Amino acid sequence: MQTTQTPKQALNPAFLKQKPERKEIELFKKEFIALLDRINEKETEEHHKNLMIDFLNSVYYKDNHYINTKGRADLVICNGKTPDSPVGVLIEVKSPVNKTEMVSRQNLNVKSFQELVLYYLRERKNEKNFELRYLIITNIYEWFVFDAQDFEKLFYQNKKLIAQFEQFNAKKLSGTNTDFFYTEIAAPTIADIQSEIPYTHFDIRDYDKILRNTDQEDDRKLIALYKFLSPTHLLKLPFADDNNQLNREFYAELLHILGLEEMKQGTQKFIVRPKEENRDSGSIIENAIEKIDEQDKLSHLNAEQYGQTKEEQLFNSALDLSITWINRVLFLKLLEAQIIKYNSFSTDAGLKRADFAFLSVDKLSNYDDLNSLFFQILARKENERKGDLKTKFLHVPYLNSSLFEKTEIEDKTIYISGLKDDISIKLYSKSVLHGGRDGARPVSTMRPLEYLLKCLDAYDFSSESSEDIQEENKQLISASVLGLIFEKINGYKDGSFFTPSFITMYMCRETIRKTVLQKFNDYFAANAVETGRAPFLQTTIDLYNKLDRIDIQTANRIFNSIRICDPAVGSGHFLVSALNEMIALKSELGILADKTGKRLKDYHIIIENDELIITDSEGDYFQYNPKNAESQRVQETLFHEKQTIIENCLFGVDINPNSVKICQLRLWIELLKNAYYLRNTDNADNADLHELDNKNLRKSVSSALSAFPTLQTLPNIDINIKCGNSLISRFDLRDKYSENATMQQRVKVATEKYKAQVFLYKDCNDKETKRQITKNIETEKQFFYQLNNARDTDYQAWNKAHAELTQHTQGTFFDFQDEAWQQKTTELTQKTANLEKIYKDKIRSCFEWRFEFPEVLDDDGNFVGFDAVIGNPPYIQLQSMGSITDDYKKMNYQVFERTGDIYCLFYELGYKLLKNKSYLSFITSNKWMRAGYGEKTRKFFVEQTNPVLLIDFAGVKVFDEATVDVNILSFQKSENQHNTKTCQIKHFNYETMKLSDYCRHNEIFTGFNEASISSFVILSD
């Protein structure tokens, strides 16, 4: 039986989720109605062909794609504007009354399909057309749509059919007319494979009532068909399907409001402070700089960490503050969009969108109001709020996020309330507000906060959209776009580049699936006695078929024990992609379950566009509806599964503190996407939320949300993302703290306490308690520091100098000592201070993998390692990095070359961080493969790792803002099997092809084969 799809099922889910504008749908409706009204069954086939041409041209194709007859083909849609453009779509048209020749769902093997096969072979074989996309049969009412790729497999690759067609074409057979081909060649071939032919079917008469009623809600039922008939689908055109594609207009205007601009130097773009004559005192950074300088707040900071000159220190401290403030505002914009969407059910109860929109000019008239929102609303539980603010921000939940805790730099300098309100800022020259939105007169200046809020309101932040119509002309800004923007602001000075989604999705998919298989293979091997013979799992299908051996709780426990680390985490893009892959893989394996252990078996979860796409058994997108108990169950499950994975499985480190903040923000946003309302157990326990009494909802806004007073608070996931220099550590990962049994017991107890405090921190939703737990964690970490100080030469030198100073001054009175004594005291004091600074600076610059993440320590405090290391480490020439290069050399990296690049050190670090048999996957510059400095790195890979995959992007531009040639390398921490899959990609269009698709089609690779990485022959031109 054929695989039959609806238009919705046939569409790319990412394309389906993109909102068409209202004006586009209205044009579609108008022309669709005209088409239906002009159909006359008494008219000829030619008449109906002309109706179709008029309809398709009016809505979609005019001026861009030629539509007409071609030879014997009834209609074609060309890939270009002219008649000689390659045909993209072949259409066979029958009269509405010609039932004999028209295909049906019961029988495809009739004349119309036989004709289509002949026209396809003529186009494909005779015309050598490789650009066919779809083939259609229609009687104007019913449409049968076939993918040309299926025709390629079923007909063009049928050697017997092709041989018969060639003989028929050459007039070498007993019959030469087309009827002979239909009955003697096409019909028998179709009969053999009819049950294997997939197609999409719809009847335009089914849409008649939807088109003609006045209910705009019904218009959503037209979206799938509207998109299905579009050139984007039928001609398989690329569309902006990457959520990480930068919205240039939004990006430029946000930079302007912050007080930054993008500047190109050579082949790279940098984000900088404008020249003095171009600075606007109303921008956030310039406003902050003035206040910090005016109040001499630099004296409260360790200013050296912000730069060498006062100007650098002022700018960088103001930038740090501004990023913190903007992070909060943008997070709140996403939260606001979620709350508005979740509460759309309340609009029929007297509540309006404005009741839930809290980032509005009428509620935030100045920076003081915004500061109050941060710290007196979001940082306080609902019952702790006071005064007018409680009513003003009634629908704003307590989030329990450190994003809304006062930062150290705010405490030492200024809060956002310290900025000037009584100033103006010039609007960006291409501002979204120019032209008088909403009928308002255009302005050239505006108060800064008003400008920021109105600019944000001109965009759509509801990234979790489904089939919907964009009623306002607002462009979408996704969470991923925000991550890209802030990585661009932060990353260039660290040699970082934002990794495109097609890379992160592919790398995470390949690495995590190998990791999951390894984890379950280890479990089955260790438990062979209980489960019978231990299976060796090579694919996720193998795993799926073996999961009946264990219960779902055990399967989840094994899965959730995976530890994944990105040692140069940047904005957290890899961790977000890893999170999505793990959720999708759990669903694929059938182990995604709610808190009672019940599977989400009626839902299909895939990754498209770097986003989770969740559909039900009917193919409809999942949308959270708090009134529906099943929807509530699914939303809660997704939230807590994400929470579990983020808390237990994902870890990151970055040298840039602002990158750490952004990564933490990205992960909070991923949780926010599935935030859910808590039920009021006094009123709605065990009851369906749709049974709420609407009369009570109308009584007051407070009553409206009585059954779900607030969103679930966010967990403290920030502790898994830490700031530090990944490459420098004082303590070796494999060091034993002591061979002494008593000391070993102390370490074991300290490890247990340390792990317990970290667990409590993640689960805590009280600010004061969290502060105390943070202190406890630091106390426990000091125990491990002290154990190692006995072997630290810098610590010992400082300790010795301090002891000398103490001995020299002990029991004496400074005022009665002679000049020599005073001089020695001064020398010892200075020496002690210098050595203390050396020691503390070293501690500050080091990242101690040995104990920073207790999740990868065993019960005895030993470092066990991560199950996967993944990422895009920075690319910086070591010889350009100054004195820190000497610090890297002291770490004794085997691959260190002073003329080399820092990413080589990350490869070796990643190897050290891995458990045995675990996997690393990095995307880096590919220069190590041929450059002289890469000799040690090549030797390291061959002799100490098992490289499993090497993809070289030879001349393909992967990064938007960098021309560097890159590769993806994956290796396993095990003995080299000399069986590395290697390939070189010279041409790549990631808008139309997934990287995984390239890996499945050998002809797209240049030289795809199995080879030893030590030769690299395949990668040479």
Side-chain angles (χ1 to χ4, degrees):
M1 193 168 184
Q2 295 97 359
T3 302
T4 308
Q5 292 181 310
T6 65
K8 180 191 291 187
Q9 292 167 334
L11 288 168
N12 180 315
F15 177 49
L16 182 57
K17 285 184 76 173
Q18 291 189 344
K19 295 180 182 179
E21 293 183 15
R22 166 56 64 184
K23 64 182 180 181
E24 294 172 331
I25 291 295
E26 290 301 326
L27 174 63
F28 177 66
K29 287 169 62 179
K30 173 189 168 188
E31 297 299 332
F32 201 162
I33 291 170
L35 173 66
L36 288 168
D37 288 344
R38 290 170 187 163
I39 294 173
N40 184 344
E41 294 185 2
K42 295 179 181 179
E43 288 285 356
T44 64
E45 187 179 289
E46 198 66 28
H47 169 79
H48 293 103
K49 277 195 260 184
N50 290 327
L51 292 183
M52 288 175 55
I53 292 173
D54 290 344
F55 169 71
L56 293 171
N57 272 330
S58 297
V59 181
Y60 305 106
Y61 294 91
K62 188 178 180 181
D63 299 328
N64 291 310
H65 299 280
Y66 179 78
I67 305 177
N68 212 324
T69 58
K70 180 185 178 183
R72 297 296 299 274
D74 289 337
L75 279 181
V76 297
I77 302 176
C78 293
N79 286 306
K81 300 178 182 181
T82 59
D84 58 350
S85 302
V87 172
V89 182
L90 271 172
I91 306 176
E92 176 65 19
V93 182
K94 293 298 176 186
S95 166
V97 296
N98 188 351
K99 301 187 185 301
T100 305
E101 296 184 357
M102 180 64 187
V103 293
S104 67
R105 299 183 70 174
Q106 291 72 38
N107 185 21
L108 292 180
N109 201 357
V110 295
K111 187 174 181 180
S112 59
F113 193 83
Q114 295 157 7
E115 288 177 307
L116 194 66
V117 171
L118 177 60
Y119 301 151
Y120 165 75
L121 292 175
R122 285 174 172 169
E123 190 67 35
R124 178 69 178 85
K125 185 72 177 173
N126 298 350
E127 301 293 327
K128 294 181 171 51
N129 184 357
F130 298 94
E131 298 184 38
L132 279 169
R133 306 295 190 232
Y134 282 98
L135 302 99
I136 298 172
I137 301 173
T138 179
N139 63 1
I140 208 163
Y141 288 133
E142 282 194 275
W143 292 60
F144 291 78
V145 184
F146 307 88
D147 194 315
Q149 289 183 356
D150 295 320
F151 265 54
E152 183 87 8
K153 296 173 191 173
L154 296 171
F155 297 109
Y156 193 74
Q157 293 178 15
N158 184 324
K159 293 180 180 178
K160 180 182 176 182
L161 173 63
I162 294 300
Q164 290 176 326
F165 170 73
E166 288 176 333
Q167 288 181 307
F168 172 77
N169 219 27
K171 301 185 183 298
K172 294 181 178 180
L173 299 179
S174 57
T176 57
N177 61 28
T178 54
D179 284 338
F180 175 83
F181 180 87
Y182 301 149
T183 58
E184 301 301 324
I185 299 176
T189 303
I190 296 165
D192 289 340
I193 61 172
Q194 184 169 191
S195 62
E196 302 172 32
I197 303 173
Y199 62 88
T200 302
H201 173 265
F202 59 91
D203 190 320
I204 63 173
R205 290 169 292 194
D206 296 339
Y207 296 88
D208 192 271
K209 290 183 180 178
I210 299 170
L211 287 164
R212 299 179 194 275
N213 70 36
T214 57
D215 185 1
Q216 287 197 339
E217 283 295 307
D218 261 9
D219 290 349
R220 284 189 285 187
K221 298 174 184 176
L222 299 171
I223 293 173
L225 183 62
Y226 167 74
K227 292 193 171 189
F228 183 88
L229 294 172
S230 71
T232 301
H233 176 72
L234 288 184
L235 295 176
K236 298 186 179 180
L237 301 178
F239 63 97
D241 65 340
D242 188 349
N243 264 356
N244 298 289
Q245 187 172 14
L246 185 65
N247 184 309
R248 289 279 172 188
E249 294 80 9
F250 176 76
Y251 169 56
E253 190 152 16
L254 188 62
L255 286 182
H256 175 79
I257 294 170
L258 279 167
L260 300 168
E261 66 180 10
E262 191 174 67
M263 179 181 68
K264 190 168 185 178
Q265 291 182 0
T267 59
Q268 290 188 14
K269 293 178 181 177
F270 293 83
I271 287 83
V272 297
R273 186 184 184 188
K275 293 180 180 179
E276 188 170 356
E277 62 270 21
N278 296 327
R279 295 169 190 167
D280 193 318
S281 61
S283 69
I284 295 174
I285 288 175
E286 295 302 327
N287 198 339
I289 286 173
E290 183 180 344
K291 285 296 179 182
I292 293 169
D293 192 25
E294 178 186 294
Q295 300 173 25
D296 191 26
K297 294 294 185 178
L298 282 180
S299 62
H300 299 184
L301 297 172
N302 178 10
E304 289 182 4
Q305 74 183 70
Y306 292 97
Q308 297 302 309
T309 67
K310 182 179 180 182
E311 186 175 18
E312 285 180 353
Q313 292 164 0
L314 285 169
F315 172 72
N316 287 323
S317 57
L319 176 64
D320 194 334
L321 287 165
S322 299
I323 288 176
T324 296
W325 297 331
I326 287 292
N327 276 354
R328 289 171 181 161
V329 171
L330 293 174
F331 180 86
L332 291 178
K333 196 65 187 175
L334 293 168
L335 173 65
E336 180 188 64
Q338 292 287 80
I339 290 175
I340 290 170
K341 183 173 67 176
Y342 291 170
N343 288 284
S344 59
F345 71 94
S346 296
T347 54
D348 61 353
L351 297 174
K352 301 175 182 177
R353 181 188 186 280
D355 293 317
F356 301 99
F358 55 86
L359 284 184
S360 57
V361 176
D362 61 323
K363 291 182 180 177
L364 298 170
S365 58
N366 52 51
Y367 284 125
D368 280 336
D369 288 344
L370 187 56
N371 200 65
S372 297
L373 177 63
F374 290 164
F375 301 125
Q376 296 182 44
I377 297 297
L378 290 149
R380 293 187 182 183
K381 295 179 180 179
E382 287 84 351
N383 60 357
E384 296 173 356
R385 298 172 184 174
K386 299 176 182 178
D388 294 341
L389 287 173
K390 185 173 183 178
T391 305
K392 188 176 184 180
F393 297 107
L394 184 66
H395 302 292
V396 182
Y398 166 69
L399 293 178
N400 183 44
S401 167
S402 60
L403 189 63
F404 299 101
E405 293 176 358
K406 297 171 183 177
T407 63
E408 181 181 358
I409 190 172
E410 282 179 306
D411 258 341
K412 291 182 177 180
T413 56
I414 61 171
Y415 296 98
I416 199 167
S417 55
L419 298 181
K420 286 184 185 177
D421 285 304
D422 57 344
I423 55 176
S424 62
I425 179 174
K426 290 181 181 178
L427 267 63
Y428 176 59
S429 59
K430 298 179 181 178
S431 175
V432 69
L433 302 182
H434 279 321
R437 282 182 61 85
D438 302 323
R441 249 171 55 183
V443 295
S444 59
T445 63
M446 200 175 286
R447 289 189 306 110
L449 181 58
E450 180 186 6
Y451 183 16
L452 173 62
L453 296 177
K454 287 186 174 180
C455 178
L456 295 180
D457 202 44
Y459 291 90
D460 178 7
F461 285 80
S462 55
S463 59
E464 290 298 284
S465 61
S466 59
E467 288 176 90
D468 211 345
I469 298 167
Q470 182 63 275
E471 301 294 349
E472 301 173 274
N473 186 21
K474 291 185 177 183
Q475 296 182 60
L476 176 69
I477 301 295
S478 72
S480 301
V481 168
L482 301 182
L484 168 55
I485 286 170
F486 283 109
E487 182 128 345
K488 286 171 72 66
I489 293 172
N490 269 297
Y492 290 116
K493 63 182 179 182
D494 300 322
S496 301
F497 301 99
F498 190 82
T499 315
S501 293
F502 80 95
I503 294 289
T504 62
M505 287 189 293
Y506 174 78
M507 290 172 63
C508 287
R509 178 183 173 85
E510 294 297 307
T511 306
I512 289 170
R513 285 169 184 258
K514 288 186 180 74
T515 300
V516 169
L517 290 171
Q518 184 65 52
K519 185 67 79 170
F520 277 91
N521 273 323
D522 290 345
Y523 173 81
F524 283 126
N527 294 274
V529 175
E530 299 174 22
T531 58
R533 185 180 176 186
F536 178 67
L537 310 168
Q538 293 185 303
T539 68
T540 52
I541 295 174
D542 293 341
L543 176 56
Y544 177 84
N545 292 331
K546 298 296 181 184
L547 281 176
D548 58 353
R549 295 188 178 197
I550 55 179
D551 59 73
I552 195 168
Q553 289 83 6
T554 301
N556 271 286
R557 188 166 62 250
I558 297 166
F559 196 106
N560 295 340
S561 69
I562 291 170
R563 307 287 182 258
I564 299 170
C565 180
D566 183 344
V569 75
S571 71
H573 192 184
F574 272 99
L575 295 189
V576 171
S577 290
L579 172 65
N580 288 338
E581 177 60 36
M582 293 177 83
I583 294 290
L585 184 53
K586 276 194 171 190
S587 175
E588 184 181 318
L589 294 173
I591 62 173
L592 189 64
D594 65 19
K595 59 188 176 185
T596 69
K598 181 181 177 182
R599 290 179 173 86
L600 296 191
K601 61 182 180 180
D602 295 326
Y603 298 87
H604 184 53
I605 301 179
I606 60 171
I607 300 171
E608 288 283 352
N609 196 15
D610 211 18
E611 292 271 346
L612 289 176
I613 306 290
I614 305 160
T615 52
D616 62 19
S617 57
E618 302 297 320
D620 292 322
Y621 288 111
F622 169 75
Q623 288 192 85
Y624 176 45
N625 177 0
K627 297 186 290 183
N628 180 276
E630 172 63 9
S631 179
Q632 182 80 7
R633 180 180 81 93
V634 174
Q635 188 79 341
E636 286 186 23
T637 300
L638 292 170
F639 180 92
H640 288 294
E641 281 293 326
K642 283 185 174 182
Q643 177 183 348
T644 297
I645 290 170
I646 293 171
E647 287 185 350
N648 293 284
C649 307
L650 304 180
F651 303 86
V653 178
D654 202 279
I655 196 170
N656 187 327
N658 285 328
S659 293
V660 171
K661 293 176 188 175
I662 292 161
C663 178
Q664 292 168 347
L665 175 67
R666 287 289 305 279
L667 293 174
W668 272 312
I669 287 170
E670 290 307 309
L671 279 171
L672 179 64
K673 290 176 182 178
N674 294 105
Y676 62 91
Y677 280 109
L678 294 168
R679 297 174 184 237
N680 185 319
T681 54
D682 294 332
N683 300 325
D685 191 33
N686 298 319
D688 275 356
L689 301 182
H690 66 270
E691 294 177 354
L692 292 173
D693 184 353
N694 276 343
K695 291 181 181 178
N696 288 336
L697 290 177
R698 293 188 183 94
K699 287 182 180 178
S700 69
V701 173
S702 180
S703 298
L705 296 178
S706 61
F708 11 63
T710 187
L711 288 178
Q712 167 69 34
T713 55
L714 297 179
N716 302 305
I717 57 176
D718 52 315
I719 197 170
N720 282 13
I721 313 299
K722 300 191 176 185
C723 188
N725 188 333
S726 294
L727 295 171
I728 300 179
S729 302
R730 293 190 299 144
F731 312 135
D732 190 275
L733 291 173
R734 310 299 168 185
D735 273 355
K736 295 283 185 182
Y737 287 117
S738 175
E739 298 297 330
N740 179 279
T742 302
M743 180 56 73
Q744 286 178 349
Q745 182 59 31
R746 285 184 61 195
V747 170
K748 187 170 186 174
V749 171
T751 302
E752 184 179 346
K753 290 169 65 178
Y754 182 23
K755 288 184 175 183
Q757 290 298 316
V758 170
F759 176 81
L760 289 173
Y761 178 89
K762 291 176 180 178
D763 200 44
C764 176
N765 64 5
D766 178 78
K767 300 289 183 186
E768 291 303 319
T769 305
K770 188 162 71 173
R771 289 191 189 100
Q772 184 56 53
I773 293 172
T774 301
K775 291 178 182 177
N776 295 345
I777 289 172
E778 289 305 310
T779 299
E780 298 305 329
K781 281 166 62 174
Q782 285 305 312
F783 170 81
F784 294 101
Y785 271 109
Q786 291 302 321
L787 285 176
N788 288 278
N789 280 337
R791 291 174 287 186
D792 188 293
T793 54
D794 290 321
Y795 175 80
Q796 294 302 324
W798 169 43
N799 198 40
K800 182 179 179 182
H802 185 268
E804 282 185 63
L805 176 61
T806 301
Q807 184 178 9
H808 177 67
T809 58
Q810 195 169 18
T812 61
F813 298 96
F814 284 63
D815 292 342
F816 297 100
Q817 303 308 314
D818 60 24
E819 187 176 336
W821 185 92
Q822 291 283 7
Q823 183 176 349
K824 186 173 182 180
T825 300
T826 301
E827 289 173 357
L828 286 174
T829 301
Q830 187 62 49
K831 179 182 178 182
T832 302
N834 289 341
L835 290 171
E836 180 182 18
K837 185 177 187 302
I838 290 171
Y839 170 70
K840 290 189 174 179
D841 283 349
K842 183 168 74 170
I843 289 179
R844 191 179 298 112
S845 64
C846 290
F847 186 80
E848 300 306 341
W849 293 99
R850 180 66 182 81
F851 53 78
E852 276 293 345
F853 294 118
E855 294 85 353
V856 290
L857 303 180
D858 65 17
D859 291 342
D860 295 318
N862 298 312
F863 182 84
V864 176
F866 293 94
D867 298 290
V869 172
I870 194 165
N872 174 19
Y875 318 157
I876 311 173
Q877 291 183 338
L878 289 169
Q879 60 190 358
S880 70
M881 297 185 70
S883 61
I884 197 170
T885 305
D886 295 325
D887 294 330
Y888 293 142
K889 184 177 182 180
K890 290 176 185 176
M891 292 300 299
N892 296 317
Y893 285 104
Q894 296 176 44
V895 300
F896 178 88
E897 281 283 359
R898 191 169 291 275
T899 58
D901 200 292
I902 196 171
Y903 66 80
C904 295
L905 308 186
F906 273 95
Y907 276 120
E908 187 174 342
L909 170 70
Y911 174 86
K912 292 176 180 177
L913 295 176
L914 285 173
K915 291 179 180 176
N916 288 332
K917 298 190 292 185
S918 295
Y919 293 91
L920 173 145
S921 184
F922 278 165
I923 180 168
T924 68
S925 164
N926 64 9
K927 288 186 179 178
W928 63 270
M929 290 192 286
R930 302 177 186 87
Y933 75 73
E935 182 179 355
K936 288 182 179 179
T937 301
R938 296 193 291 270
K939 183 179 180 182
F940 174 78
F941 290 147
V942 173
E943 295 182 356
Q944 298 198 35
T945 79
N946 176 33
V948 294
L949 175 68
L950 176 60
I951 301 176
D952 182 31
F953 293 87
V956 175
K957 185 179 179 183
V958 171
F959 297 112
D960 182 43
E961 307 294 0
T963 57
V964 61
D965 289 338
V966 297
N967 66 255
I968 294 172
L969 175 68
S970 298
F971 66 67
Q972 185 182 35
K973 189 174 183 178
S974 63
E975 185 178 348
N976 193 348
Q977 301 299 306
H978 299 285
N979 194 28
T980 309
K981 291 183 178 179
T982 60
C983 69
Q984 189 177 72
I985 298 178
K986 293 183 176 180
H987 305 285
F988 187 72
N989 183 354
Y990 60 84
E991 290 183 317
T992 57
M993 179 71 79
K994 295 178 182 177
L995 187 53
S996 56
D997 292 333
Y998 275 75
C999 297
R1000 286 195 290 268
H1001 299 289
N1002 291 1
E1003 70 270 17
I1004 297 176
F1005 281 86
T1006 57
F1008 180 85
N1009 70 355
E1010 304 289 326
S1012 166
I1013 197 172
S1014 58
S1015 68
F1016 301 109
V1017 172
I1018 192 138
L1019 295 172
S1020 60
D1021 293 330

